[in-house]
Amino acid sequence: MNTFTRLRLFCHPASIRLFLHTHALLKQDRRYSALNLLKAVWFASREDKVVRHDGRWIVSSFLPPVPSRAADQVVQAVPETPTRFEAMIAGRRLAPISMYVAVTERCPYRCGHCSAAGRPPLADRDGGELKTLLHQLQEMGTAIIGLTGGEPLLRGDLCDLIASLDDRSISILFTSGFGLTRERAQAIKRAGLFAVGVSLDSDEANEMDARRGHAGAFEQATQAVRFCREAGLYTMTQTVAGRDSLASGRLERIVRLSGRLGAHEVRVLETMPSGRLAKIGPGLLLTAQEREGLKQFHAAMNRRRDVPKVSVFAHTEDAERYGCGAGTQHAYIDGAGNLYPCDFVPLAIGNVRDRPVADLWRDLHAQIGKPRQTCLLMELYARQRLAGVEAFPVPPETSRQCLRELAVMDRMPGFYRRLAGWPA
């Protein structure tokens, strides 16, 4: 059934238009092959469930829906020199595909896995300043803008921030659901929000409340999912998989619960040595075999019709697909304005209050170089580069030194190899 849906998507006029637009940009390079482009896209998406929402197709929530101006930006924001094709197969970009922006550091919860923990408390940035930043991100060509925190729902001007974005980007709100009412869900939809990701740690209220350090957290989250779906938002739940999540059946129970609540998709992260878990021992991190189990779970769930779409980060970032895009396809700005390769990597390359965000992105992108076959944070952790760090974020000069010491990527992830026609 999913193969049939994907064929419908590939044959849809909007997909054909996007393909022809991409083809026109790349065909100037004789090494480019339209067949290789189709093969690369087909292979990378073959275990993803395609969802149709609000007249658009979602293959991956890590990419904009089709049709959309944001999808056009993914292709457009590729350097023209020496050729767009050469830049694309090397993973070079004028702007990240996605940028997540913390609009507040405030949060009523104290989650054990919080990646934003450990940073000094800050007052919220002025709404005008944030709107200027969001405008700059759009001018760069950023296709997906995520609004995160802390808890972004604590900002009274959240609808104004969302409404300041035009359709060159899609916007995603990442939230615990704290305090979300039916009326506010409808308001953020009217403001132009495309999607919401609600954190869901467990299918049991007592367990989730304990994990969040707040009574009622489970009820708030599940109610928020219902309200967002009712409002017409593309609705996702997000959960962090630990070592026992698959074996205990907890992960599948969360997927089933998400389906009953009306979620279109479940995004599955894994326990990461970041934030409150920065000093976590290796025995609590997923093994290679357990990560492989998560990838198989992704594929198995997406073959079923009785559960929502499942997106496992380990699957999307697999070496045979897109690899780790930290600093090459994605970046993150915290509540103070510091730019990082991703939400979990605490290496601050600079601050948007001191330098234009486009300059900071070029600096970061040049230092990391190419999409990596392995997670950037796990490379740093394995090399113990962050072992002696007591305060986060890591200052820019130390951050640059850490990046300079990374292993050089001599083999690109599978999507880029297939696009180039190199041996898979």
Side-chain angles (χ1 to χ4, degrees), residues 2 26 31 33 53 63 94 99 143 182 196 214 257 268-269 292 349 380 403:
N2 194 48
L26 302 182
R31 295 167 295 176
S33 160
H53 171 72
L63 295 168
L94 300 172
M99 178 78 81
R182 177 178 282 108
V196 171
H214 196 288
L257 171 61
V268 182
L269 297 83
E292 191 59 38
I349 204 70
L380 294 166
L403 294 176

Side-chain angles (χ1 to χ4, degrees), residues 61-63 74 91-102 115 137 140-148 172 174 238 267 269 272 313 316-317 322-334 339-345 347 349 357 360-366 368-372 376 403 416:
S61 54
F62 301 98
L63 295 168
V74 173
R92 293 197 293 272
R93 299 193 57 81
L94 300 172
I97 294 174
S98 57
M99 178 78 81
Y100 294 171
V101 180
S115 61
L137 291 176
M140 289 168 58
T142 308
I144 299 174
I145 295 177
L147 304 178
T148 183
I172 304 177
F174 295 102
Q238 292 203 140
R267 287 164 55 115
L269 297 83
M272 301 290 278
F313 278 51
T316 302
E317 297 179 349
Y322 297 106
C324 175
T328 58
Q329 316 296 311
H330 174 75
Y332 166 72
I333 299 171
D334 72 7
L339 179 73
Y340 304 80
C342 86
D343 323 34
F344 301 103
V345 178
L347 304 180
I349 204 70
V357 65
L360 288 174
W361 164 256
R362 283 193 293 270
D363 188 356
L364 171 64
H365 193 24
I368 293 183
K370 301 176 181 178
R372 309 186 71 77
L376 174 59
L403 294 176
Y416 304 93

Side-chain angles (χ1 to χ4, degrees), residues 121-134:
L122 299 165
D124 289 351
R125 280 186 287 171
D126 176 73
E129 180 185 353
L130 281 172
K131 288 180 184 178
T132 298
L133 173 60
L134 297 177

